[in-house]
Amino acid sequence: MKIEKRWIVSFTIICIVATVALFWPTPSEKAAVLSEFGTKSDINFADVAWLLTASCLVLLMTPGLSFFYGGMVGKKNVISTMLQSFICLGVVTLLWVVVGFSLAFGDPIGVHIGGGFYSFVGNPFTFPFMDYVGVLPHKKMASTIPFVLFALFQMKFAIITPAIITGSFAERVRFISYLLFICLFTLFIYAPLCHSVWHPNGILGSYFGIKDFAGGTVVHMSAGFAALAGVLVLGKRKNSTHIPTNIPFVLLGTGMLWFGWFGFNAGSALAANDVAAMAFATTITASAAAMLTWIFFDRLNGRKVSALGACIGAVVGLVAITPAAGYVSIPVSLFIGFITAIVSNLAVNATFMKKIDDTLDVFACHGVGGIMGMILTAIFAEGENSSLLHGGWGVFGGHIVALLLVSAFTFFGALLLYKVTDFIIPLRVSEASEDLGLDLSQHNEKL
């Protein structure tokens, strides 16, 4: 069977399943879903205005990421690398509408532990094609904004997560295979992890006590470990040394990411309130601290101060503060940016990372940055169910156990999905295509 026919068959099956899903809920199940919604009088228009703005900001991050990555690769792979990020805007949006949102925030499917019920994933038939997702607020998940706005805000997180992975295997992945992988990753890794952390019944959030304000676990750790698995499956490039093509692209992308990250973090308060304001503040201070720490640490180790280093440092600070943004003070955010920049810098320059050829150091920046952010959140977070420094030994222990579980789930889960993808359509391009460059060999375009 040719590749084209396989895709047609797969698409037909998806359409059939999706059509069945539209008529699946029974009248009693529909009534149960509708009972979870409030009324229009519950809507806070200031919150609506802020979440609309935040959603736009988060959406901007994906084109920003494409510039950030595109400027770092060799000249014959710029278009391909940028498109791998940009295409997620289309692919993940449709997946999220059809079934992804249901898997992430649908009726919980899980187990009873003690006196509670804890879930791993949502029922895919709860909100198929955004059914029931309208202008009324959801009492448990978004009580002051239309539920459709909550769904769209969360969709932006789902879009950028697989886009982050692309930097690890840049310059050697087959584009059509990559499209299949991001579909599988979104459905089988991102959505269940999102549900486990952010759904009111999610096992990582409600049982283990994970405090992940805006996605240190859900976004950055999942992308980081999936990136590491991808590097190991695809192997090294034929020529793993190159000079970044366009540093101004990297600077532009960093600016877009930093700007969008205010929506990413402050928007995760889901309201225009004091928590959003503090998350906004800690986001910029952590990133500033990490940027300066990175370039000075480079200088201390005999490397020149570079624009590339400043950009990477800024992004590492943004990654690290993401899980803690709404839980910590500004002085703590400075420390989080400072210490994570040093640890990630050491990881980027570690011998192991050089050997495996993570093209744009995705694991060292997002994976390690996400891990550091979650550990530091468990140490410094303030407020209800507080952290280690505030007597929350249980929260700290829960974070450590959950980090191990998430690391294993995302790494081995991604490893399996890469193998499945490679079985259906080979992941790696031919040597001739790699020599020619992916811009021409995959897209027949060039700068």
Side-chain angles (χ1 to χ4, degrees):
M1 182 181 290
K2 293 183 179 180
I3 290 176
E4 291 78 4
K5 290 184 178 180
R6 291 182 181 180
W7 278 98
I8 292 172
V9 170
S10 300
F11 181 74
T12 303
I13 292 172
I14 291 171
C15 290
I16 293 171
V17 172
T19 303
V20 171
L22 286 175
F23 303 98
W24 182 271
T26 64
S28 60
E29 289 172 332
K30 289 182 179 180
V33 171
L34 292 173
S35 68
E36 295 291 327
F37 291 95
T39 65
K40 288 185 179 181
S41 62
D42 298 321
I43 293 175
N44 182 305
F45 295 110
D47 294 348
V48 174
W50 168 231
L51 263 295
L52 285 169
T53 303
S55 298
C56 295
L57 289 171
V58 181
L59 183 66
L60 182 67
M61 292 174 68
T62 299
L65 184 70
S66 72
F67 276 102
F68 183 74
Y69 280 170
M72 291 185 188
V73 296
K75 185 176 181 179
K76 57 186 180 180
N77 295 298
V78 173
I79 295 171
S80 174
T81 300
M82 295 184 73
L83 182 59
Q84 285 168 18
S85 292
F86 201 80
I87 201 70
C88 291
L89 291 166
V91 175
V92 180
T93 293
L94 294 184
L95 274 179
W96 193 252
V97 168
V98 174
V99 71
F101 182 65
S102 291
L103 290 170
F105 293 99
D107 290 340
I109 298 174
V111 295
H112 289 276
I113 303 176
F117 179 74
Y118 305 98
S119 53
F120 305 99
V121 70
N123 185 335
F125 299 121
T126 306
F127 306 115
F129 286 89
M130 293 291 188
D131 201 13
Y132 308 114
V133 182
V135 297
L136 298 180
H138 194 282
K139 295 176 183 177
K140 294 181 180 178
M141 286 185 273
S143 60
T144 64
I145 61 174
F147 197 41
V148 67
L149 178 54
F150 173 78
L152 294 175
F153 178 69
Q154 291 293 342
M155 182 179 74
K156 308 308 188 297
F157 287 71
I159 288 171
I160 198 171
T161 305
I164 292 171
I165 302 170
T166 64
S168 62
F169 46 60
E171 303 188 328
R172 59 196 185 277
V173 69
R174 192 185 305 271
F175 186 74
I176 198 71
S177 304
Y178 163 72
L179 291 182
L180 175 58
F181 173 76
I182 61 175
C183 292
L184 297 175
F185 174 86
T186 301
L187 297 178
F188 295 106
I189 293 181
Y190 180 84
L193 189 57
C194 177
H195 181 94
S196 297
V197 174
W198 286 333
H199 189 276
N201 293 100
I203 189 167
L204 292 178
S206 56
Y207 183 74
F208 287 98
I210 281 286
K211 299 171 77 71
D212 187 356
F213 190 76
T217 302
V218 178
V219 176
H220 298 294
M221 280 188 61
S222 67
F225 278 99
L228 181 61
V231 170
L232 297 177
V233 170
L234 271 79
K236 297 179 66 174
R237 291 165 291 169
K238 286 185 62 182
N239 178 16
S240 57
T241 60
H242 68 262
I243 299 173
T245 297
N246 196 323
I247 299 299
F249 268 22
V250 182
L251 288 163
L252 173 62
T254 303
M256 294 172 69
L257 284 168
W258 202 338
F259 181 62
W261 225 293
F262 293 124
F264 199 85
N265 286 355
S268 293
L270 298 180
N273 58 16
D274 57 323
V275 178
M278 184 54 70
F280 193 105
T282 56
T283 297
I284 191 167
T285 50
S287 187
M291 178 174 65
L292 293 178
T293 300
W294 191 284
I295 61 175
F296 285 124
F297 192 72
D298 271 352
R299 194 71 190 95
L300 287 172
N301 284 277
R303 297 183 288 270
K304 291 185 180 295
V305 173
S306 66
L308 194 63
C311 290
I312 294 172
V315 171
V316 166
L318 292 166
V319 170
I321 197 59
T322 292
Y327 302 132
V328 299
S329 64
I330 290 176
V332 170
S333 73
L334 294 172
F335 177 76
I336 289 175
F338 166 76
I339 194 65
T340 304
I342 292 175
V343 174
S344 288
N345 191 300
L346 291 171
V348 165
N349 293 288
T351 303
F352 169 74
M353 296 308 300
K354 300 297 184 185
K355 286 182 178 179
I356 64 173
D357 191 21
D358 181 345
T359 309
L360 305 181
D361 300 311
V362 175
F363 178 73
C365 294
H366 291 271
V368 173
I371 291 170
M372 288 295 297
M374 291 304 291
I375 292 174
L376 293 169
T377 300
I379 295 174
F380 292 107
E382 301 172 358
E384 187 180 355
N385 297 322
S386 226
S387 57
L388 184 62
L389 288 186
H390 301 88
W393 284 95
V395 171
F396 182 78
H399 268 237
I400 299 304
V401 174
L403 284 174
L404 295 174
L405 292 174
V406 170
S407 300
F409 170 69
T410 53
F411 177 77
F412 290 107
L415 202 64
L416 176 62
L417 296 182
Y418 282 118
K419 295 291 187 181
V420 170
T421 302
D422 192 51
F423 175 76
I424 298 173
I425 309 171
L427 274 167
R428 182 151 184 166
V429 298
S430 65
E431 288 190 10
S433 295
E434 188 175 340
D435 286 337
L436 181 62
L438 302 192
D439 290 356
L440 280 172
S441 66
Q442 299 294 294
H443 310 292
N444 197 30
E445 295 173 318
K446 65 178 180 178
L447 290 178

